Amino acid sequence: MRVLVVEDDVAIRRGLESALRDLGATPKAVGTAGEAARVLEEFDPQVLIVDLNLPDGDGLEVFRAAREVKPDRDGIVLTGQASLDSAVEALRAGVSDYLLKPLRPAQLEVVFQRLSARRSLESEVDTLRAELQETGKLGELIGKSPAMVKVFEAIRRVAVSNAPVLVTGQSGTGKEVVARTIHRLSRRASAPFVAFNCAAISPTLIESELFGHERGSFTGADKRRIGYFEEANGGSLLLDEITEMGPELQVKLLRVLEAKTLRRVGGVQDLRVDVRLISATNRDPLDAIKENKLREDLYYRLNVFPIALPPLAERREDIAVLAEHFRKQIEDQERSGVQAWDPAALRNLEAYPWPGNVRELRNVVHRAHVMTEGDTILPGVLEELLPDVPRPAAATSSRGTPTTRTSPSSTAKRTRKR
Amino acid sequence: MSNPVKSESPDPAFDLRRFFHDLATPLSGASLHLERASRLAARGEDPEEALATARRELHRAFELFEQGRAELLKP
């Protein structure tokens, strides 16, 4: 990061220059507003650190002029107690932070790191936005269909907030990928993302896995263990298959969400946690409530911002794009020279009902890639992999059940029920 | 309540906030260069020049302090 220091005191100037270099920045230091104006274009700083009182002018004016040319430039002002009011004015003018004199190197480090983290996050968000506009991609999510464009928009909106998100969708639609993308686009991106599948752990162990336990709290607890909530502190926690969590634990989860504190199993102390919760389920949550699999009060806590992922059969226009994306991804890993799709093969993919959704499509592409001997994936390879591609005569699924089981109309019905 | 000491306070023009502000400049320099000396030493480089700058800045701060003290003690 290029940082221009504008400070008339030579010792501070040189000290800042050296400290910034050690923090990984590329600094340049000048002593006057005039010099700053002269080097601005050539050095093209991303950040300016300016003293408010310069011998030939106002440091804030230097920052304003620099920002007029490039509005994404950040500023940090240097100020003493006597000009604290001016520092407040500077913050209003758009500077990101201020450093109070006498300067402490630790203070500089904190302010600089905070700014770097924010800038790198903003740059990632910009990259993702550009990617979305150009290629129909948002992180690892791919699709140009109206249904996916709506999902992308919802993700972008919710990522900047701290609201709990409930992601619903059939198995294989990409619920965890959505959760990761929300985390990656959020202010929490530099903190951990932890994913936990409530159905994968025995009910007796879930509590200790989620909230941790103290040493000796139960047989086998020979040392203290930090739970997933604490592990995700400052970041995001995905609770997948939330409806598989037992009713007693749902009460405890509700309490944690309300109080923002938790108690480890066998612990006596409440610990404050700051976690953004994203939960996911492949069931209809309202059905789960009726069947007493999900507490209604917890549902309302979790479902502040719902995102419903469409089944792949409801966004057939994305199938070819996804297939090509997976082919490229697999070819990058395996380097076996499979370069393209025969158009008829893509049509076969588009005709298949995809009960296993995007996950199944990826697996099929992988198998087709492995089975292809030339440089093009031909329809013949897919006919072996997708024996039940709907054709005028026979239409049964690979599992021997009628394909109408997951036809677009039946899945649409299920979605409407939500 | 009257305060005889305050009423006799030396130079009403003496600006304590300004004094702190001026003093903060060399103290900032000293602090930055002491830190720099410590980083140089940790990397096995010579911290002599950084320490000399820190000393100069502390001397400057001390001189400013003495000037301020003289102002405050003026009858």
Side-chain angles (χ1 to χ4, degrees), chain A residues 166 168 242-243 281-291 293-294 299 303 418:
Chain A
L166 178 62
T168 53
I242 187 79
T243 55
T281 177
N282 57 10
R283 297 176 57 130
D284 182 329
L286 296 176
D287 283 351
I289 292 171
K290 276 184 216 150
E291 292 163 21
K293 296 283 285 180
L294 180 65
Y299 166 71
N303 193 38
R418 285 191 185 115

PDB file of all heavy atoms in Angstrom, chain A residues 166 168 242-243 281-291 293-294 299 303 418:
ATOM      1  N   LEU A 166     -31.210 -17.692   7.386  1.00  0.00           N
ATOM      2  CA  LEU A 166     -31.631 -19.093   7.267  1.00  0.00           C
ATOM      3  C   LEU A 166     -31.635 -19.453   5.780  1.00  0.00           C
ATOM      4  O   LEU A 166     -32.380 -18.867   4.993  1.00  0.00           O
ATOM      5  CB  LEU A 166     -33.022 -19.289   7.874  1.00  0.00           C
ATOM      6  CG  LEU A 166     -33.592 -20.708   7.762  1.00  0.00           C
ATOM      7  CD1 LEU A 166     -32.733 -21.718   8.511  1.00  0.00           C
ATOM      8  CD2 LEU A 166     -35.018 -20.768   8.300  1.00  0.00           C
ATOM      9  N   THR A 168     -32.402 -22.117   2.947  1.00  0.00           N
ATOM     10  CA  THR A 168     -33.145 -23.352   2.699  1.00  0.00           C
ATOM     11  C   THR A 168     -32.906 -23.793   1.262  1.00  0.00           C
ATOM     12  O   THR A 168     -32.613 -22.971   0.394  1.00  0.00           O
ATOM     13  CB  THR A 168     -34.663 -23.152   2.905  1.00  0.00           C
ATOM     14  OG1 THR A 168     -35.090 -22.047   2.110  1.00  0.00           O
ATOM     15  CG2 THR A 168     -35.004 -22.884   4.349  1.00  0.00           C
ATOM     16  N   ILE A 242     -30.184 -27.733  10.728  1.00  0.00           N
ATOM     17  CA  ILE A 242     -30.574 -27.203  12.043  1.00  0.00           C
ATOM     18  C   ILE A 242     -31.763 -27.971  12.640  1.00  0.00           C
ATOM     19  O   ILE A 242     -31.872 -28.106  13.856  1.00  0.00           O
ATOM     20  CB  ILE A 242     -30.871 -25.678  11.928  1.00  0.00           C
ATOM     21  CG1 ILE A 242     -31.115 -25.035  13.298  1.00  0.00           C
ATOM     22  CG2 ILE A 242     -32.047 -25.365  11.022  1.00  0.00           C
ATOM     23  CD1 ILE A 242     -29.895 -24.759  14.061  1.00  0.00           C
ATOM     24  N   THR A 243     -32.648 -28.499  11.753  1.00  0.00           N
ATOM     25  CA  THR A 243     -33.834 -29.184  12.277  1.00  0.00           C
ATOM     26  C   THR A 243     -33.476 -30.527  12.912  1.00  0.00           C
ATOM     27  O   THR A 243     -34.317 -31.160  13.541  1.00  0.00           O
ATOM     28  CB  THR A 243     -34.871 -29.424  11.154  1.00  0.00           C
ATOM     29  OG1 THR A 243     -34.222 -30.143  10.106  1.00  0.00           O
ATOM     30  CG2 THR A 243     -35.426 -28.133  10.610  1.00  0.00           C
ATOM     31  N   THR A 281     -31.091 -25.630   6.211  1.00  0.00           N
ATOM     32  CA  THR A 281     -31.850 -26.877   6.268  1.00  0.00           C
ATOM     33  C   THR A 281     -32.331 -27.257   4.878  1.00  0.00           C
ATOM     34  O   THR A 281     -32.600 -26.381   4.045  1.00  0.00           O
ATOM     35  CB  THR A 281     -33.048 -26.772   7.244  1.00  0.00           C
ATOM     36  OG1 THR A 281     -33.771 -28.001   7.193  1.00  0.00           O
ATOM     37  CG2 THR A 281     -33.981 -25.629   6.912  1.00  0.00           C
ATOM     38  N   ASN A 282     -32.435 -28.581   4.653  1.00  0.00           N
ATOM     39  CA  ASN A 282     -32.993 -29.014   3.372  1.00  0.00           C
ATOM     40  C   ASN A 282     -34.476 -29.352   3.521  1.00  0.00           C
ATOM     41  O   ASN A 282     -35.108 -29.836   2.605  1.00  0.00           O
ATOM     42  CB  ASN A 282     -32.214 -30.209   2.797  1.00  0.00           C
ATOM     43  CG  ASN A 282     -32.178 -31.379   3.752  1.00  0.00           C
ATOM     44  OD1 ASN A 282     -32.877 -31.378   4.766  1.00  0.00           O
ATOM     45  ND2 ASN A 282     -31.369 -32.377   3.460  1.00  0.00           N
ATOM     46  N   ARG A 283     -34.998 -29.099   4.734  1.00  0.00           N
ATOM     47  CA  ARG A 283     -36.426 -29.348   4.954  1.00  0.00           C
ATOM     48  C   ARG A 283     -37.179 -28.033   4.869  1.00  0.00           C
ATOM     49  O   ARG A 283     -36.590 -26.964   5.017  1.00  0.00           O
ATOM     50  CB  ARG A 283     -36.637 -29.921   6.365  1.00  0.00           C
ATOM     51  CG  ARG A 283     -35.975 -31.240   6.588  1.00  0.00           C
ATOM     52  CD  ARG A 283     -36.171 -31.636   8.018  1.00  0.00           C
ATOM     53  NE  ARG A 283     -37.589 -31.696   8.359  1.00  0.00           N
ATOM     54  CZ  ARG A 283     -38.173 -32.707   8.965  1.00  0.00           C
ATOM     55  NH1 ARG A 283     -37.457 -33.754   9.307  1.00  0.00           N
ATOM     56  NH2 ARG A 283     -39.449 -32.686   9.245  1.00  0.00           N
ATOM     57  N   ASP A 284     -38.479 -28.137   4.719  1.00  0.00           N
ATOM     58  CA  ASP A 284     -39.301 -26.940   4.811  1.00  0.00           C
ATOM     59  C   ASP A 284     -39.405 -26.598   6.300  1.00  0.00           C
ATOM     60  O   ASP A 284     -39.937 -27.398   7.082  1.00  0.00           O
ATOM     61  CB  ASP A 284     -40.689 -27.247   4.228  1.00  0.00           C
ATOM     62  CG  ASP A 284     -41.589 -26.030   4.249  1.00  0.00           C
ATOM     63  OD1 ASP A 284     -41.421 -25.196   5.168  1.00  0.00           O
ATOM     64  OD2 ASP A 284     -42.448 -25.914   3.369  1.00  0.00           O
ATOM     65  N   PRO A 285     -38.872 -25.456   6.749  1.00  0.00           N
ATOM     66  CA  PRO A 285     -38.850 -25.169   8.184  1.00  0.00           C
ATOM     67  C   PRO A 285     -40.250 -25.130   8.813  1.00  0.00           C
ATOM     68  O   PRO A 285     -40.421 -25.512   9.976  1.00  0.00           O
ATOM     69  CB  PRO A 285     -38.150 -23.818   8.299  1.00  0.00           C
ATOM     70  CG  PRO A 285     -37.960 -23.314   6.929  1.00  0.00           C
ATOM     71  CD  PRO A 285     -38.210 -24.412   5.963  1.00  0.00           C
ATOM     72  N   LEU A 286     -41.246 -24.707   8.009  1.00  0.00           N
ATOM     73  CA  LEU A 286     -42.603 -24.650   8.574  1.00  0.00           C
ATOM     74  C   LEU A 286     -43.148 -26.054   8.813  1.00  0.00           C
ATOM     75  O   LEU A 286     -43.830 -26.306   9.811  1.00  0.00           O
ATOM     76  CB  LEU A 286     -43.530 -23.832   7.676  1.00  0.00           C
ATOM     77  CG  LEU A 286     -43.144 -22.355   7.550  1.00  0.00           C
ATOM     78  CD1 LEU A 286     -44.065 -21.642   6.573  1.00  0.00           C
ATOM     79  CD2 LEU A 286     -43.170 -21.655   8.911  1.00  0.00           C
ATOM     80  N   ASP A 287     -42.802 -26.980   7.916  1.00  0.00           N
ATOM     81  CA  ASP A 287     -43.173 -28.391   8.135  1.00  0.00           C
ATOM     82  C   ASP A 287     -42.469 -28.912   9.386  1.00  0.00           C
ATOM     83  O   ASP A 287     -43.049 -29.637  10.191  1.00  0.00           O
ATOM     84  CB  ASP A 287     -42.747 -29.261   6.937  1.00  0.00           C
ATOM     85  CG  ASP A 287     -43.705 -29.097   5.757  1.00  0.00           C
ATOM     86  OD1 ASP A 287     -44.755 -28.453   5.941  1.00  0.00           O
ATOM     87  OD2 ASP A 287     -43.375 -29.587   4.658  1.00  0.00           O
ATOM     88  N   ALA A 288     -41.183 -28.535   9.525  1.00  0.00           N
ATOM     89  CA  ALA A 288     -40.401 -29.001  10.683  1.00  0.00           C
ATOM     90  C   ALA A 288     -41.025 -28.493  11.988  1.00  0.00           C
ATOM     91  O   ALA A 288     -41.025 -29.200  13.001  1.00  0.00           O
ATOM     92  CB  ALA A 288     -38.962 -28.537  10.559  1.00  0.00           C
ATOM     93  N   ILE A 289     -41.581 -27.299  11.968  1.00  0.00           N
ATOM     94  CA  ILE A 289     -42.237 -26.762  13.175  1.00  0.00           C
ATOM     95  C   ILE A 289     -43.474 -27.606  13.485  1.00  0.00           C
ATOM     96  O   ILE A 289     -43.688 -28.028  14.632  1.00  0.00           O
ATOM     97  CB  ILE A 289     -42.619 -25.271  12.979  1.00  0.00           C
ATOM     98  CG1 ILE A 289     -41.352 -24.420  12.911  1.00  0.00           C
ATOM     99  CG2 ILE A 289     -43.534 -24.782  14.108  1.00  0.00           C
ATOM    100  CD1 ILE A 289     -41.583 -22.981  12.516  1.00  0.00           C
ATOM    101  N   LYS A 290     -44.259 -27.887  12.429  1.00  0.00           N
ATOM    102  CA  LYS A 290     -45.486 -28.684  12.623  1.00  0.00           C
ATOM    103  C   LYS A 290     -45.151 -30.060  13.184  1.00  0.00           C
ATOM    104  O   LYS A 290     -45.889 -30.617  13.990  1.00  0.00           O
ATOM    105  CB  LYS A 290     -46.223 -28.841  11.285  1.00  0.00           C
ATOM    106  CG  LYS A 290     -47.119 -27.658  10.972  1.00  0.00           C
ATOM    107  CD  LYS A 290     -47.893 -27.930   9.684  1.00  0.00           C
ATOM    108  CE  LYS A 290     -48.040 -26.646   8.905  1.00  0.00           C
ATOM    109  NZ  LYS A 290     -48.095 -26.837   7.459  1.00  0.00           N
ATOM    110  N   GLU A 291     -44.015 -30.604  12.741  1.00  0.00           N
ATOM    111  CA  GLU A 291     -43.630 -31.951  13.192  1.00  0.00           C
ATOM    112  C   GLU A 291     -42.814 -31.917  14.484  1.00  0.00           C
ATOM    113  O   GLU A 291     -42.188 -32.910  14.861  1.00  0.00           O
ATOM    114  CB  GLU A 291     -42.793 -32.629  12.094  1.00  0.00           C
ATOM    115  CG  GLU A 291     -43.575 -32.949  10.852  1.00  0.00           C
ATOM    116  CD  GLU A 291     -42.667 -33.221   9.659  1.00  0.00           C
ATOM    117  OE1 GLU A 291     -41.486 -33.557   9.864  1.00  0.00           O
ATOM    118  OE2 GLU A 291     -43.150 -33.064   8.531  1.00  0.00           O
ATOM    119  N   LYS A 293     -39.997 -30.653  15.040  1.00  0.00           N
ATOM    120  CA  LYS A 293     -38.552 -30.838  14.836  1.00  0.00           C
ATOM    121  C   LYS A 293     -37.808 -29.512  15.015  1.00  0.00           C
ATOM    122  O   LYS A 293     -36.601 -29.500  15.171  1.00  0.00           O
ATOM    123  CB  LYS A 293     -38.277 -31.382  13.422  1.00  0.00           C
ATOM    124  CG  LYS A 293     -38.833 -32.736  13.127  1.00  0.00           C
ATOM    125  CD  LYS A 293     -38.014 -33.835  13.757  1.00  0.00           C
ATOM    126  CE  LYS A 293     -36.717 -34.095  13.025  1.00  0.00           C
ATOM    127  NZ  LYS A 293     -35.943 -35.171  13.650  1.00  0.00           N
ATOM    128  N   LEU A 294     -38.557 -28.420  14.960  1.00  0.00           N
ATOM    129  CA  LEU A 294     -37.933 -27.095  15.096  1.00  0.00           C
ATOM    130  C   LEU A 294     -38.837 -26.218  15.956  1.00  0.00           C
ATOM    131  O   LEU A 294     -40.034 -26.099  15.684  1.00  0.00           O
ATOM    132  CB  LEU A 294     -37.740 -26.458  13.703  1.00  0.00           C
ATOM    133  CG  LEU A 294     -37.099 -25.074  13.651  1.00  0.00           C
ATOM    134  CD1 LEU A 294     -35.652 -25.114  14.157  1.00  0.00           C
ATOM    135  CD2 LEU A 294     -37.107 -24.523  12.220  1.00  0.00           C
ATOM    136  N   TYR A 299     -37.063 -20.647  15.304  1.00  0.00           N
ATOM    137  CA  TYR A 299     -37.208 -20.381  13.867  1.00  0.00           C
ATOM    138  C   TYR A 299     -37.248 -18.870  13.610  1.00  0.00           C
ATOM    139  O   TYR A 299     -36.563 -18.366  12.712  1.00  0.00           O
ATOM    140  CB  TYR A 299     -38.482 -21.057  13.352  1.00  0.00           C
ATOM    141  CG  TYR A 299     -38.924 -20.592  11.986  1.00  0.00           C
ATOM    142  CD1 TYR A 299     -38.208 -20.944  10.846  1.00  0.00           C
ATOM    143  CD2 TYR A 299     -40.062 -19.796  11.845  1.00  0.00           C
ATOM    144  CE1 TYR A 299     -38.614 -20.510   9.595  1.00  0.00           C
ATOM    145  CE2 TYR A 299     -40.472 -19.364  10.596  1.00  0.00           C
ATOM    146  CZ  TYR A 299     -39.741 -19.719   9.478  1.00  0.00           C
ATOM    147  OH  TYR A 299     -40.142 -19.281   8.239  1.00  0.00           O
ATOM    148  N   ASN A 303     -34.560 -17.006  11.351  1.00  0.00           N
ATOM    149  CA  ASN A 303     -35.072 -16.668  10.028  1.00  0.00           C
ATOM    150  C   ASN A 303     -35.223 -15.165   9.832  1.00  0.00           C
ATOM    151  O   ASN A 303     -36.152 -14.712   9.179  1.00  0.00           O
ATOM    152  CB  ASN A 303     -36.419 -17.372   9.823  1.00  0.00           C
ATOM    153  CG  ASN A 303     -36.858 -17.335   8.370  1.00  0.00           C
ATOM    154  OD1 ASN A 303     -36.035 -17.458   7.481  1.00  0.00           O
ATOM    155  ND2 ASN A 303     -38.150 -17.139   8.143  1.00  0.00           N
ATOM    156  N   ARG A 418     -43.207 -23.234   0.873  1.00  0.00           N
ATOM    157  CA  ARG A 418     -42.391 -22.579   1.895  1.00  0.00           C
ATOM    158  C   ARG A 418     -42.918 -21.209   2.254  1.00  0.00           C
ATOM    159  O   ARG A 418     -43.298 -20.448   1.420  1.00  0.00           O
ATOM    160  CB  ARG A 418     -40.958 -22.439   1.408  1.00  0.00           C
ATOM    161  CG  ARG A 418     -40.275 -23.763   1.473  1.00  0.00           C
ATOM    162  CD  ARG A 418     -38.799 -23.640   1.253  1.00  0.00           C
ATOM    163  NE  ARG A 418     -38.269 -24.974   1.215  1.00  0.00           N
ATOM    164  CZ  ARG A 418     -37.719 -25.515   0.145  1.00  0.00           C
ATOM    165  NH1 ARG A 418     -37.574 -24.821  -0.938  1.00  0.00           N
ATOM    166  NH2 ARG A 418     -37.284 -26.752   0.180  1.00  0.00           N
TER     167      ARG A 418
END
